[in-house]
mmCIF file of all heavy atoms in Angstrom:
data_model
loop_
_atom_site.group_PDB
_atom_site.id
_atom_site.type_symbol
_atom_site.label_atom_id
_atom_site.label_comp_id
_atom_site.label_asym_id
_atom_site.label_seq_id
_atom_site.Cartn_x
_atom_site.Cartn_y
_atom_site.Cartn_z
ATOM 1 N N CYS A 93 -4.968 9.658 5.210
ATOM 2 C CA CYS A 93 -5.684 10.874 5.013
ATOM 3 C C CYS A 93 -4.707 11.937 4.447
ATOM 4 O O CYS A 93 -3.827 12.386 5.117
ATOM 5 C CB CYS A 93 -6.221 11.348 6.340
ATOM 6 S SG CYS A 93 -6.693 10.053 7.437
ATOM 7 N N CYS A 100 -10.293 13.401 5.373
ATOM 8 C CA CYS A 100 -10.661 12.823 6.638
ATOM 9 C C CYS A 100 -11.117 13.935 7.582
ATOM 10 O O CYS A 100 -10.421 14.929 7.769
ATOM 11 C CB CYS A 100 -9.480 12.090 7.237
ATOM 12 S SG CYS A 100 -9.799 11.424 8.865
ATOM 13 N N LEU A 102 -11.199 13.861 10.647
ATOM 14 C CA LEU A 102 -10.456 13.857 11.911
ATOM 15 C C LEU A 102 -9.228 14.732 11.794
ATOM 16 O O LEU A 102 -8.546 14.958 12.773
ATOM 17 C CB LEU A 102 -9.990 12.433 12.221
ATOM 18 C CG LEU A 102 -11.014 11.312 12.119
ATOM 19 C CD1 LEU A 102 -10.368 9.994 12.443
ATOM 20 C CD2 LEU A 102 -12.204 11.602 13.023
ATOM 21 N N SER A 103 -8.951 15.217 10.627
ATOM 22 C CA SER A 103 -7.685 15.853 10.348
ATOM 23 C C SER A 103 -7.354 16.953 11.347
ATOM 24 O O SER A 103 -6.205 17.187 11.673
ATOM 25 C CB SER A 103 -7.626 16.416 8.918
ATOM 26 O OG SER A 103 -8.852 17.097 8.651
ATOM 27 N N CYS A 106 -6.424 15.056 14.478
ATOM 28 C CA CYS A 106 -5.429 13.980 14.304
ATOM 29 C C CYS A 106 -4.029 14.544 14.502
ATOM 30 O O CYS A 106 -3.597 15.462 13.790
ATOM 31 C CB CYS A 106 -5.514 13.369 12.880
ATOM 32 S SG CYS A 106 -4.240 12.150 12.569
ATOM 33 N N ILE A 108 -1.120 12.874 14.507
ATOM 34 C CA ILE A 108 0.003 12.089 14.015
ATOM 35 C C ILE A 108 0.279 12.308 12.517
ATOM 36 O O ILE A 108 1.298 11.863 12.029
ATOM 37 C CB ILE A 108 -0.179 10.604 14.292
ATOM 38 C CG1 ILE A 108 -1.365 10.099 13.463
ATOM 39 C CG2 ILE A 108 -0.340 10.319 15.750
ATOM 40 C CD1 ILE A 108 -1.361 8.618 13.330
ATOM 41 N N LYS A 109 -0.609 12.932 11.873
ATOM 42 C CA LYS A 109 -0.426 13.062 10.432
ATOM 43 C C LYS A 109 0.770 13.939 10.102
ATOM 44 O O LYS A 109 1.411 13.768 9.061
ATOM 45 C CB LYS A 109 -1.686 13.607 9.767
ATOM 46 C CG LYS A 109 -1.984 15.090 10.049
ATOM 47 C CD LYS A 109 -3.298 15.474 9.364
ATOM 48 C CE LYS A 109 -3.430 16.991 9.311
ATOM 49 N NZ LYS A 109 -3.055 17.685 10.542
ATOM 50 N N ASP B 9 -3.309 3.814 11.537
ATOM 51 C CA ASP B 9 -3.388 5.232 11.886
ATOM 52 C C ASP B 9 -4.063 5.408 13.219
ATOM 53 O O ASP B 9 -3.572 6.091 14.141
ATOM 54 C CB ASP B 9 -4.165 5.948 10.753
ATOM 55 C CG ASP B 9 -3.815 7.401 10.654
ATOM 56 O OD1 ASP B 9 -3.039 7.888 11.487
ATOM 57 O OD2 ASP B 9 -4.329 8.077 9.759
ATOM 58 N N TYR B 10 -5.206 4.796 13.354
ATOM 59 C CA TYR B 10 -5.938 4.860 14.621
ATOM 60 C C TYR B 10 -5.140 4.356 15.784
ATOM 61 O O TYR B 10 -5.119 4.937 16.871
ATOM 62 C CB TYR B 10 -7.250 4.049 14.505
ATOM 63 C CG TYR B 10 -8.274 4.614 13.527
ATOM 64 C CD1 TYR B 10 -9.289 3.836 13.034
ATOM 65 C CD2 TYR B 10 -8.237 5.979 13.156
ATOM 66 C CE1 TYR B 10 -10.231 4.362 12.178
ATOM 67 C CE2 TYR B 10 -9.149 6.481 12.303
ATOM 68 C CZ TYR B 10 -10.188 5.670 11.798
ATOM 69 O OH TYR B 10 -11.121 6.205 10.963
ATOM 70 N N ILE B 13 -2.629 6.834 16.790
ATOM 71 C CA ILE B 13 -3.251 7.954 17.507
ATOM 72 C C ILE B 13 -3.525 7.579 18.964
ATOM 73 O O ILE B 13 -3.229 8.345 19.887
ATOM 74 C CB ILE B 13 -4.569 8.334 16.809
ATOM 75 C CG1 ILE B 13 -4.316 8.947 15.440
ATOM 76 C CG2 ILE B 13 -5.384 9.294 17.679
ATOM 77 C CD1 ILE B 13 -5.549 9.236 14.627
HETATM 78 S S1 FES E 1 -5.874 12.729 9.399
HETATM 79 FE FE1 FES E 1 -7.483 11.259 9.279
HETATM 80 S S2 FES E 1 -6.867 9.911 10.892
HETATM 81 FE FE2 FES E 1 -5.099 11.118 10.748
#
Side-chain angles (χ1 to χ4, degrees):
Chain A
C93 326
C100 176
L102 313 178
S103 46
C106 175
I108 66 163
K109 72 182 193 317
Chain B
D9 205 356
Y10 291 160
I13 292 175

